[in-house]
Amino acid sequence: MRAVLGRCAYATRARKSGAAWLKTAAFSSAGNLGTKRGPNSASGIDADPFQTIDFAEIDLRTRYRILCGAILPRPIAWISTVDSEGVNNVAPLSFFMPVTSDPPSLAFSLTTKKDGSLKDTLQNLKSNRQFVVNHVTSECFMAMYETSKEFDPTVDEFGMAKLTPIASKLVAPSRIAEAPIHMECELIDTMPVGNIKNYGSSTLVVGRVLVTHVQDKYLEERSDGAKAVRTQDMETVARLGGLEYGTIGNRWTLEQDTNW
């Protein structure tokens, strides 16, 4: 049983008909965030307490904190690009997700800088339409965090973070040897979200995955012959709220799911 007291429901994990299931129960709250209304659903979950936050009425920083606190954990795309002069850039981005497997693709967004300029990563990949997404684990976390700092575009960030470059197979940007997985990508398209000249706005980037490199120890072949990543053996790092990061803790596997 796992209980989360306060503002969340608690759930009990049990076995039913050979499969894992979650049973949700009513919750109690120590906070005084609204007027009690009593249960309003068949599950018996109390509708109170909740606060409604209108994003049109709050400042930019509060929007960011609420948004990032509500969507987590977030995987980190550790992106390597190169400019026309051969200078390497590396940047971690946590607004990141897969898109589809046909074509194999992923997406991430880059915010506009406070001075209204575009980040080096975005300028590079729009210029040559190529980038590499590297996987972040606890072993390379501190190097990843070093590359989150702002550097002059003329600075080679592989050198600043003491990273080892590996030549890619199909794209110009280098892969990061310290990362266990690398995805070489080409740009499909970009889309501005908001007024791109303002800080807080963003550019959505969609890329096609051309080839992926996985360290041998993290790759396995399933019973159906398909290859898969041994995620349980990697200490993958995720971005949480604020300056909090974490690795995957409790996990469970559903049984007898033919779709997977």
Side-chain angles (χ1 to χ4, degrees):
M1 175 184 291
R2 186 181 68 166
V4 181
L5 302 179
R7 302 184 184 183
C8 300
Y10 70 84
T12 59
R13 179 170 180 265
R15 294 282 177 180
K16 185 176 183 180
S17 301
W21 62 290
L22 294 176
K23 179 182 179 182
T24 307
F27 68 95
S28 61
S29 171
N32 182 21
L33 302 179
T35 303
K36 281 283 186 182
R37 301 181 188 85
N40 71 338
S41 69
S43 66
I45 297 179
D46 197 329
D48 182 58
F50 288 95
Q51 286 191 40
T52 299
I53 302 170
D54 188 337
F55 272 41
E57 298 178 356
I58 58 178
D59 61 84
L60 184 63
R61 181 178 294 274
T62 304
R63 289 179 195 167
Y64 176 83
R65 289 175 174 173
I66 296 295
L67 187 65
C68 292
I71 304 175
L72 57 80
R74 300 190 307 280
I76 300 170
W78 199 12
I79 299 175
S80 48
T81 58
V82 64
D83 70 9
S84 59
E85 301 298 322
V87 179
N88 294 305
N89 177 270
V90 186
L93 304 169
S94 65
F95 283 20
F96 167 51
M97 69 173 189
V99 176
T100 184
S101 56
D102 188 17
S105 50
L106 50 80
F108 55 88
S109 65
L110 300 105
T111 57
T112 300
K113 292 183 180 181
K114 291 183 178 180
D115 64 3
S117 63
L118 301 180
K119 291 188 175 181
D120 298 337
T121 297
L122 182 58
Q123 296 188 61
N124 291 346
L125 66 84
K126 289 183 74 172
S127 175
N128 59 32
R129 304 185 67 83
Q130 297 179 340
F131 59 94
V132 179
V133 176
N134 303 275
H135 193 91
V136 180
T137 62
S138 57
E139 288 83 359
C140 54
F141 171 78
M142 291 310 300
M144 180 279 295
Y145 188 71
E146 181 68 17
T147 63
S148 69
K149 301 175 182 178
E150 290 285 349
F151 294 102
D152 187 88
T154 61
V155 173
D156 189 307
E157 295 189 30
F158 271 84
M160 289 297 297
K162 297 181 174 57
L163 295 170
T164 307
I166 304 176
S168 295
K169 301 297 183 183
L170 300 179
V171 300
S174 297
R175 298 142 56 197
I176 299 174
E178 288 75 10
I181 301 175
H182 321 125
M183 292 181 283
E184 298 183 25
C185 305
E186 66 178 7
L187 180 65
I188 293 177
D189 206 353
T190 63
M191 183 183 76
V193 180
N195 185 341
I196 200 59
K197 295 181 180 180
N198 293 341
Y199 174 65
S201 63
S202 187
T203 300
L204 179 65
V205 176
V206 181
R208 181 184 183 114
V209 181
L210 303 176
V211 61
T212 298
H213 311 271
V214 184
Q215 286 184 1
D216 289 340
K217 62 182 178 179
Y218 296 126
L219 197 63
E220 66 179 6
E221 186 170 308
R222 298 282 173 84
S223 58
D224 60 0
K227 291 184 178 180
V229 177
R230 293 179 56 84
T231 58
Q232 67 273 22
D233 293 339
M234 290 192 302
E235 288 193 356
T236 298
V237 173
R239 181 80 185 270
L240 304 176
L243 291 177
E244 290 184 324
Y245 295 81
T247 56
I248 300 173
N250 296 332
R251 65 171 74 198
W252 55 85
T253 302
L254 298 178
E255 298 175 357
Q256 301 175 352
D257 189 338
T258 57
N259 292 322
W260 183 252

